[in-house]
Amino acid sequence: MSQYQTFEQNLIKLSIELKNKLKEFSKYSCTSSSQDFQELTFEGKAFQSILREDYKHYFELLRVLFIRHPESTNEKLESFNNDILNAINQEGFSMFVDSCGEIFSKAYSALDSQIKLLEEALREKKHRYVFVPDTNTLINNPTLENWYFDNIDEFWILLLPTVLSELDDLKINHRNEAVREKCNSLIRKLKEYRRRGRLNEGVPIIKNRIYVKSKATEPDFNNSLSWLDPENKDDRIIARFLEVIREQINTSVILVTSDINLQSKLEFARLSFVEPPSVSKGA
């Protein structure tokens, strides 16, 4: 995963991988001598099972991203979804489609059309970066004014409610006094930033270079990925992070964490992340 790869770019890459897998599956499913699906071999059934799970995972990510878009857009996504599932499940014959090859052709076209919808949504994408830190990143890198990311001159730091809540808890309850003091110091700093303006609208840390903003609302798990657990702090971060991506689809939104478990979940969800920032040059 490249350093500043976006969620949308990851989805486009995943769709290309799926299209190649679908073409490979067609070799198990169709023959040149028959218009019907052929019975799958043991190897073909294993490939079908993997392809079905990979596509299910991909489409859930796509659907979550578009959930707030017009109903007509989501109807198109579902129609394309049906065309793809017809090929994977060896279904889809009708008065308009009478061969295995035609069903797979519709599936390839449907994958292309899904990504075209995504590319249209990104047409107005701006070169703006939003970095979303987890709690440990803030504790270990509390001098926000010294944050530095390679090749990025201006960026926003976005603070999620789960992270702010955890900081509030740790400032009192962490067994290590040094950690408690770091949390208290950071919270005092954030309150100081609030004197510059409304934190939930965004305020400058260093004008024209670093800005900070907070989110007040908790994630809506009814419109998120099915495997996320509302009781798990990492999953709450991921769910709210996804909503930020959906709210700011014209922006590069990247989570900042060194937590290997959280990174693994983000990688599974094809969400973008980087290690905590360098200290600003000259700081």
Side-chain angles (χ1 to χ4, degrees):
M1 188 179 298
S2 66
Q3 188 179 19
Y4 301 124
Q5 194 87 352
T6 66
F7 176 53
E8 299 87 354
Q9 289 169 330
N10 290 335
L11 280 182
I12 291 171
K13 181 180 177 182
L14 183 54
S15 75
I16 294 170
E17 294 172 3
L18 280 167
K19 190 173 181 180
N20 290 334
K21 288 182 180 179
L22 198 59
K23 289 180 177 178
E24 184 68 22
F25 179 60
S26 71
K27 298 174 184 177
Y28 293 103
S29 197
C30 301
T31 65
S32 56
S33 59
S34 172
Q35 289 187 312
D36 296 329
F37 292 115
Q38 67 176 341
E39 186 175 351
L40 294 174
T41 62
F42 176 81
E43 186 180 359
K45 288 179 180 178
F47 195 98
Q48 181 189 47
S49 179
I50 293 170
L51 177 59
R52 186 182 286 125
E53 285 303 307
D54 286 351
Y55 177 70
K56 178 183 176 183
H57 176 55
Y58 158 79
F59 187 68
E60 185 178 25
L61 295 172
L62 194 64
R63 185 157 47 192
V64 166
L65 185 63
F66 277 96
I67 206 161
R68 302 295 184 196
H69 281 240
E71 185 177 347
S72 59
T73 299
N74 282 281
E75 286 175 353
K76 288 179 182 178
L77 280 177
E78 290 296 339
S79 175
F80 300 145
N81 179 50
N82 289 334
D83 288 340
I84 294 163
L85 289 177
N86 282 339
I88 295 173
N89 296 328
Q90 292 193 316
E91 299 170 344
F93 284 106
S94 69
M95 61 182 295
F96 304 108
V97 179
D98 62 3
S99 77
C100 175
E102 288 179 0
I103 289 171
F104 273 87
S105 292
K106 284 191 70 175
Y108 305 147
S109 177
L111 267 172
D112 291 340
S113 296
Q114 284 177 340
I115 291 305
K116 186 177 179 182
L117 287 175
L118 180 57
E119 290 173 338
E120 287 174 354
L122 298 175
R123 191 170 292 160
E124 301 300 321
K125 194 168 186 68
K126 301 172 183 175
H127 294 294
R128 189 174 108 160
Y129 291 91
V130 175
F131 289 97
V132 183
D134 69 353
T135 309
N136 284 334
T137 294
L138 289 173
I139 292 172
N140 295 321
N141 302 265
T143 54
L144 305 185
E145 64 274 16
N146 291 337
W147 279 23
Y148 172 82
F149 295 95
D150 289 341
N151 303 316
I152 297 179
D153 297 324
E154 182 178 318
F155 58 87
W156 286 69
I157 298 170
L158 183 63
L159 307 175
L160 300 184
T162 299
V163 171
L164 292 175
S165 176
E166 194 169 9
L167 282 176
D168 257 331
D169 179 63
L170 292 175
K171 76 179 183 182
I172 299 170
N173 297 319
H174 199 282
R175 64 181 181 275
N176 187 307
E177 184 180 352
V179 172
R180 293 199 302 271
E181 180 49 39
K182 281 184 178 181
C183 293
N184 270 299
S185 176
L186 184 56
I187 289 170
R188 287 195 297 269
K189 183 176 290 190
L190 293 176
K191 289 180 177 179
E192 178 63 28
Y193 290 149
R194 185 174 280 124
R195 296 178 65 178
R196 304 178 189 182
R198 296 175 63 88
L199 204 56
N200 61 2
E201 294 177 358
V203 298
I205 296 176
I206 299 177
K207 195 172 182 181
N208 297 324
R209 202 171 82 76
I210 305 175
Y211 297 81
V212 64
K213 184 177 181 179
S214 66
K215 286 285 184 182
T217 56
E218 296 289 344
D220 175 12
F221 279 87
N222 292 323
N223 292 305
S224 194
L225 300 174
S226 59
W227 52 271
L228 294 177
D229 179 2
E231 302 303 316
N232 183 284
K233 289 180 181 178
D234 284 352
D235 288 6
R236 295 189 71 81
I237 288 173
I238 292 172
R240 193 63 184 94
F241 179 59
L242 260 173
E243 291 175 349
V244 174
I245 291 172
R246 195 164 58 211
E247 293 161 4
Q248 303 188 45
I249 198 168
N250 63 344
T251 302
S252 296
V253 185
I254 302 162
L255 205 138
V256 187
T257 181
S258 60
D259 185 312
I260 186 63
N261 187 54
L262 179 53
Q263 287 181 351
S264 294
K265 289 184 176 184
L266 291 164
E267 192 168 41
F268 178 69
R270 297 290 175 132
L271 293 166
S272 301
F273 63 88
V274 291
E275 291 285 332
S278 306
V279 174
S280 179
K281 295 177 179 178

